[in-house]
Amino acid sequence: QVQLVESGGGLVQAGGSLRLSCAASGRTFSSYAMGWFRQAPGKEREFVATITWSGGSTYYADSVKGRFTISRDNAKNTVYLQMNSLKPEDTAVYYCAAVRRDWGLPGTEYEYDYWGQGTQVTVSS
């Protein structure tokens, strides 16, 4: 079992930055691939970014590529999402997710087994 708790959301002006954190419980965090997803009002949840268990590989949605960076610190059981050059269309609830996997970059929500409760990000124009 893995429990995930996101933090770092808030209100920011367009062009600003935020860093989201996702703290995971459990001693086997380093065995899990991690991902970030988001859901805007009235829309389906969508993939944002994913990172392998080692942090050696990452993959991003086209909509955030070049602006967002996913990273992890296995010693702290934490995964991060650095969000720069934020746009109003980035407004959403952001969720982190985990799946025990030592290969690949899971890019769909169906591949993940554990989810956090979400943190709200609001970008004003």
mmCIF file of all heavy atoms in Angstrom, residues 45-70:
data_model
loop_
_atom_site.group_PDB
_atom_site.id
_atom_site.type_symbol
_atom_site.label_atom_id
_atom_site.label_comp_id
_atom_site.label_asym_id
_atom_site.label_seq_id
_atom_site.Cartn_x
_atom_site.Cartn_y
_atom_site.Cartn_z
ATOM 1 N N ARG A 45 -9.986 13.826 -16.549
ATOM 2 C CA ARG A 45 -8.628 13.875 -16.021
ATOM 3 C C ARG A 45 -7.650 13.577 -17.153
ATOM 4 O O ARG A 45 -7.879 12.663 -17.950
ATOM 5 C CB ARG A 45 -8.479 12.886 -14.879
ATOM 6 C CG ARG A 45 -7.175 12.987 -14.128
ATOM 7 C CD ARG A 45 -7.277 12.440 -12.726
ATOM 8 N NE ARG A 45 -7.743 11.072 -12.680
ATOM 9 C CZ ARG A 45 -8.001 10.423 -11.548
ATOM 10 N NH1 ARG A 45 -7.844 11.034 -10.387
ATOM 11 N NH2 ARG A 45 -8.427 9.186 -11.590
ATOM 12 N N GLU A 46 -6.557 14.346 -17.190
ATOM 13 C CA GLU A 46 -5.599 14.172 -18.266
ATOM 14 C C GLU A 46 -4.187 14.004 -17.720
ATOM 15 O O GLU A 46 -3.837 14.517 -16.656
ATOM 16 C CB GLU A 46 -5.636 15.359 -19.239
ATOM 17 C CG GLU A 46 -5.205 16.683 -18.639
ATOM 18 C CD GLU A 46 -5.134 17.790 -19.684
ATOM 19 O OE1 GLU A 46 -5.453 17.561 -20.869
ATOM 20 O OE2 GLU A 46 -4.734 18.916 -19.300
ATOM 21 N N PHE A 47 -3.391 13.303 -18.487
ATOM 22 C CA PHE A 47 -1.998 13.058 -18.148
ATOM 23 C C PHE A 47 -1.193 14.340 -18.254
ATOM 24 O O PHE A 47 -1.391 15.144 -19.168
ATOM 25 C CB PHE A 47 -1.439 11.995 -19.102
ATOM 26 C CG PHE A 47 0.053 11.867 -19.087
ATOM 27 C CD1 PHE A 47 0.681 11.200 -18.050
ATOM 28 C CD2 PHE A 47 0.818 12.410 -20.088
ATOM 29 C CE1 PHE A 47 2.063 11.073 -18.029
ATOM 30 C CE2 PHE A 47 2.198 12.294 -20.083
ATOM 31 C CZ PHE A 47 2.818 11.618 -19.050
ATOM 32 N N VAL A 48 -0.241 14.520 -17.316
ATOM 33 C CA VAL A 48 0.647 15.675 -17.350
ATOM 34 C C VAL A 48 2.100 15.231 -17.530
ATOM 35 O O VAL A 48 2.783 15.675 -18.452
ATOM 36 C CB VAL A 48 0.520 16.518 -16.063
ATOM 37 C CG1 VAL A 48 1.550 17.646 -16.047
ATOM 38 C CG2 VAL A 48 -0.885 17.079 -15.932
ATOM 39 N N ALA A 49 2.570 14.343 -16.641
ATOM 40 C CA ALA A 49 3.976 13.940 -16.693
ATOM 41 C C ALA A 49 4.164 12.650 -15.915
ATOM 42 O O ALA A 49 3.373 12.327 -15.037
ATOM 43 C CB ALA A 49 4.874 15.029 -16.113
ATOM 44 N N THR A 50 5.234 11.922 -16.251
ATOM 45 C CA THR A 50 5.559 10.705 -15.533
ATOM 46 C C THR A 50 7.073 10.555 -15.421
ATOM 47 O O THR A 50 7.822 11.125 -16.226
ATOM 48 C CB THR A 50 4.932 9.477 -16.218
ATOM 49 O OG1 THR A 50 5.211 8.302 -15.447
ATOM 50 C CG2 THR A 50 5.490 9.268 -17.612
ATOM 51 N N ILE A 51 7.504 9.779 -14.431
ATOM 52 C CA ILE A 51 8.930 9.582 -14.193
ATOM 53 C C ILE A 51 9.151 8.150 -13.740
ATOM 54 O O ILE A 51 8.355 7.593 -12.993
ATOM 55 C CB ILE A 51 9.448 10.597 -13.145
ATOM 56 C CG1 ILE A 51 10.963 10.554 -13.011
ATOM 57 C CG2 ILE A 51 8.765 10.405 -11.787
ATOM 58 C CD1 ILE A 51 11.536 11.746 -12.235
ATOM 59 N N THR A 52 10.239 7.538 -14.213
ATOM 60 C CA THR A 52 10.541 6.169 -13.830
ATOM 61 C C THR A 52 10.992 6.091 -12.374
ATOM 62 O O THR A 52 11.278 7.104 -11.736
ATOM 63 C CB THR A 52 11.639 5.597 -14.722
ATOM 64 O OG1 THR A 52 12.772 6.486 -14.698
ATOM 65 C CG2 THR A 52 11.169 5.418 -16.159
ATOM 66 N N TRP A 53 11.082 4.860 -11.868
ATOM 67 C CA TRP A 53 11.420 4.656 -10.461
ATOM 68 C C TRP A 53 12.767 5.288 -10.110
ATOM 69 O O TRP A 53 12.968 5.769 -9.000
ATOM 70 C CB TRP A 53 11.447 3.159 -10.148
ATOM 71 C CG TRP A 53 12.559 2.426 -10.854
ATOM 72 C CD1 TRP A 53 12.525 1.872 -12.094
ATOM 73 C CD2 TRP A 53 13.886 2.204 -10.353
ATOM 74 N NE1 TRP A 53 13.744 1.320 -12.403
ATOM 75 C CE2 TRP A 53 14.598 1.500 -11.360
ATOM 76 C CE3 TRP A 53 14.537 2.511 -9.166
ATOM 77 C CZ2 TRP A 53 15.922 1.124 -11.196
ATOM 78 C CZ3 TRP A 53 15.853 2.132 -9.002
ATOM 79 C CH2 TRP A 53 16.528 1.443 -10.016
ATOM 80 N N SER A 54 13.686 5.265 -11.053
ATOM 81 C CA SER A 54 15.034 5.785 -10.791
ATOM 82 C C SER A 54 15.139 7.291 -11.031
ATOM 83 O O SER A 54 16.117 7.917 -10.623
ATOM 84 C CB SER A 54 16.025 5.084 -11.691
ATOM 85 O OG SER A 54 15.785 5.434 -13.046
ATOM 86 N N GLY A 55 14.157 7.847 -11.709
ATOM 87 C CA GLY A 55 14.251 9.258 -12.106
ATOM 88 C C GLY A 55 15.037 9.456 -13.384
ATOM 89 O O GLY A 55 15.218 10.587 -13.833
ATOM 90 N N GLY A 56 15.455 8.357 -14.001
ATOM 91 C CA GLY A 56 16.300 8.467 -15.170
ATOM 92 C C GLY A 56 15.582 8.839 -16.450
ATOM 93 O O GLY A 56 16.206 9.316 -17.404
ATOM 94 N N SER A 57 14.288 8.605 -16.483
ATOM 95 C CA SER A 57 13.516 8.932 -17.684
ATOM 96 C C SER A 57 12.231 9.646 -17.295
ATOM 97 O O SER A 57 11.633 9.342 -16.260
ATOM 98 C CB SER A 57 13.169 7.670 -18.468
ATOM 99 O OG SER A 57 14.327 7.054 -18.975
ATOM 100 N N THR A 58 11.823 10.571 -18.150
ATOM 101 C CA THR A 58 10.589 11.322 -17.939
ATOM 102 C C THR A 58 9.837 11.448 -19.252
ATOM 103 O O THR A 58 10.414 11.277 -20.335
ATOM 104 C CB THR A 58 10.863 12.731 -17.393
ATOM 105 O OG1 THR A 58 11.722 13.432 -18.317
ATOM 106 C CG2 THR A 58 11.540 12.679 -16.030
ATOM 107 N N TYR A 59 8.554 11.752 -19.135
ATOM 108 C CA TYR A 59 7.726 11.934 -20.328
ATOM 109 C C TYR A 59 6.650 12.940 -19.981
ATOM 110 O O TYR A 59 6.106 12.922 -18.867
ATOM 111 C CB TYR A 59 7.112 10.593 -20.748
ATOM 112 C CG TYR A 59 6.222 10.678 -21.956
ATOM 113 C CD1 TYR A 59 6.752 10.932 -23.218
ATOM 114 C CD2 TYR A 59 4.847 10.495 -21.846
ATOM 115 C CE1 TYR A 59 5.933 11.013 -24.329
ATOM 116 C CE2 TYR A 59 4.030 10.574 -22.954
ATOM 117 C CZ TYR A 59 4.581 10.823 -24.196
ATOM 118 O OH TYR A 59 3.776 10.903 -25.295
ATOM 119 N N TYR A 60 6.337 13.832 -20.953
ATOM 120 C CA TYR A 60 5.399 14.917 -20.701
ATOM 121 C C TYR A 60 4.310 14.985 -21.751
ATOM 122 O O TYR A 60 4.528 14.625 -22.922
ATOM 123 C CB TYR A 60 6.146 16.254 -20.708
ATOM 124 C CG TYR A 60 7.208 16.367 -19.654
ATOM 125 C CD1 TYR A 60 8.519 15.981 -19.899
ATOM 126 C CD2 TYR A 60 6.898 16.880 -18.392
ATOM 127 C CE1 TYR A 60 9.486 16.084 -18.930
ATOM 128 C CE2 TYR A 60 7.878 16.999 -17.412
ATOM 129 C CZ TYR A 60 9.164 16.590 -17.681
ATOM 130 O OH TYR A 60 10.127 16.699 -16.708
ATOM 131 N N ALA A 61 3.176 15.500 -21.336
ATOM 132 C CA ALA A 61 2.145 15.853 -22.303
ATOM 133 C C ALA A 61 2.644 17.025 -23.130
ATOM 134 O O ALA A 61 3.394 17.884 -22.642
ATOM 135 C CB ALA A 61 0.861 16.230 -21.576
ATOM 136 N N ASP A 62 2.223 17.070 -24.388
ATOM 137 C CA ASP A 62 2.667 18.153 -25.265
ATOM 138 C C ASP A 62 2.300 19.527 -24.715
ATOM 139 O O ASP A 62 3.028 20.502 -24.910
ATOM 140 C CB ASP A 62 2.049 17.976 -26.650
ATOM 141 C CG ASP A 62 2.666 16.814 -27.420
ATOM 142 O OD1 ASP A 62 3.760 16.353 -27.034
ATOM 143 O OD2 ASP A 62 2.051 16.368 -28.397
ATOM 144 N N SER A 63 1.181 19.597 -24.014
ATOM 145 C CA SER A 63 0.678 20.882 -23.527
ATOM 146 C C SER A 63 1.566 21.498 -22.442
ATOM 147 O O SER A 63 1.482 22.704 -22.185
ATOM 148 C CB SER A 63 -0.744 20.726 -22.994
ATOM 149 O OG SER A 63 -0.774 19.767 -21.948
ATOM 150 N N VAL A 64 2.412 20.689 -21.807
ATOM 151 C CA VAL A 64 3.257 21.209 -20.724
ATOM 152 C C VAL A 64 4.741 21.073 -21.019
ATOM 153 O O VAL A 64 5.576 21.576 -20.249
ATOM 154 C CB VAL A 64 2.937 20.521 -19.376
ATOM 155 C CG1 VAL A 64 1.454 20.617 -19.062
ATOM 156 C CG2 VAL A 64 3.399 19.066 -19.373
ATOM 157 N N LYS A 65 5.079 20.434 -22.110
ATOM 158 C CA LYS A 65 6.483 20.188 -22.440
ATOM 159 C C LYS A 65 7.229 21.516 -22.566
ATOM 160 O O LYS A 65 6.762 22.450 -23.216
ATOM 161 C CB LYS A 65 6.567 19.399 -23.741
ATOM 162 C CG LYS A 65 7.871 18.679 -23.975
ATOM 163 C CD LYS A 65 7.779 17.796 -25.217
ATOM 164 C CE LYS A 65 6.745 16.704 -25.069
ATOM 165 N NZ LYS A 65 6.681 15.820 -26.236
ATOM 166 N N GLY A 66 8.381 21.589 -21.924
ATOM 167 C CA GLY A 66 9.180 22.810 -21.936
ATOM 168 C C GLY A 66 8.828 23.789 -20.838
ATOM 169 O O GLY A 66 9.582 24.741 -20.598
ATOM 170 N N ARG A 67 7.702 23.573 -20.167
ATOM 171 C CA ARG A 67 7.285 24.471 -19.074
ATOM 172 C C ARG A 67 7.287 23.761 -17.722
ATOM 173 O O ARG A 67 7.566 24.393 -16.698
ATOM 174 C CB ARG A 67 5.882 25.015 -19.342
ATOM 175 C CG ARG A 67 5.763 25.812 -20.627
ATOM 176 C CD ARG A 67 4.392 26.490 -20.727
ATOM 177 N NE ARG A 67 3.296 25.527 -20.773
ATOM 178 C CZ ARG A 67 2.282 25.511 -19.907
ATOM 179 N NH1 ARG A 67 2.237 26.390 -18.928
ATOM 180 N NH2 ARG A 67 1.319 24.615 -20.037
ATOM 181 N N PHE A 68 6.945 22.482 -17.712
ATOM 182 C CA PHE A 68 6.865 21.708 -16.473
ATOM 183 C C PHE A 68 8.032 20.728 -16.403
ATOM 184 O O PHE A 68 8.487 20.206 -17.426
ATOM 185 C CB PHE A 68 5.567 20.914 -16.412
ATOM 186 C CG PHE A 68 4.313 21.730 -16.229
ATOM 187 C CD1 PHE A 68 4.307 23.108 -16.362
ATOM 188 C CD2 PHE A 68 3.106 21.105 -15.943
ATOM 189 C CE1 PHE A 68 3.156 23.857 -16.202
ATOM 190 C CE2 PHE A 68 1.936 21.827 -15.776
ATOM 191 C CZ PHE A 68 1.960 23.207 -15.914
ATOM 192 N N THR A 69 8.467 20.452 -15.172
ATOM 193 C CA THR A 69 9.520 19.466 -14.953
ATOM 194 C C THR A 69 9.142 18.560 -13.792
ATOM 195 O O THR A 69 8.852 19.049 -12.696
ATOM 196 C CB THR A 69 10.864 20.145 -14.637
ATOM 197 O OG1 THR A 69 11.225 21.026 -15.712
ATOM 198 C CG2 THR A 69 11.961 19.091 -14.458
ATOM 199 N N ILE A 70 9.145 17.253 -14.049
ATOM 200 C CA ILE A 70 8.893 16.275 -13.000
ATOM 201 C C ILE A 70 10.230 15.756 -12.492
ATOM 202 O O ILE A 70 11.167 15.546 -13.274
ATOM 203 C CB ILE A 70 7.999 15.118 -13.511
ATOM 204 C CG1 ILE A 70 7.583 14.203 -12.361
ATOM 205 C CG2 ILE A 70 8.672 14.345 -14.629
ATOM 206 C CD1 ILE A 70 6.525 13.169 -12.751
#
